[in-house]
Amino acid sequence: MLVTDLPVKGRIWNFAPLLNTGVNAVITNQRAIPAWVMDPKVKHRSRIWMKMAEFELQSMKGANNWALWSDTDGYVTEGHSHNFFMVPGGTIYTPEA
């Protein structure tokens, strides 16, 4: 399950079909920003990390590719504009904060 925080106004019609088809969750080479580089509590306007993941997705085949970032240990942490959850057997799991 991916939960996005993109503005809904004007985009809801673009995302509605994805409820039926789903998306391709792709673990990109772009990593999440490590806490030792930038405190995760800092609100910043830099989007270069997201753009790097988007550029990688554009080179991949398939439609509806959404980037997932991993930490320096390889664990999935989040998406470039969404949170990441797993729901095996009806139990929701999300990365630790």
Side-chain angles (χ1 to χ4, degrees):
M1 174 190 322
L2 303 175
V3 179
T4 184
D5 62 353
L6 297 172
V8 174
K9 184 178 180 184
R11 296 179 186 225
I12 190 75
W13 303 116
N14 294 333
F15 291 132
L18 299 178
L19 294 173
N20 293 323
T21 63
V23 299
N24 297 319
V26 179
I27 299 173
T28 61
N29 292 317
Q30 177 60 49
R31 303 283 186 188
I33 304 170
W36 55 269
V37 171
M38 184 183 307
D39 186 334
K41 295 178 240 159
V42 171
K43 177 71 174 167
H44 62 90
R45 301 290 298 164
S46 175
R47 301 294 185 249
I48 191 69
W49 306 91
M50 292 181 193
K51 283 296 178 190
M52 296 295 288
E54 287 178 19
F55 290 146
E56 185 175 347
L57 290 178
Q58 290 172 1
S59 68
M60 296 181 169
K61 292 181 180 181
N64 302 321
N65 295 329
W66 286 41
L68 290 177
W69 290 345
S70 58
D71 62 15
T72 54
D73 294 322
Y75 294 101
V76 172
T77 59
E78 61 188 318
H80 74 291
S81 63
H82 52 273
N83 294 321
F84 172 75
F85 299 85
M86 292 177 36
V87 191
T91 302
I92 298 175
Y93 295 91
T94 187
E96 292 182 20

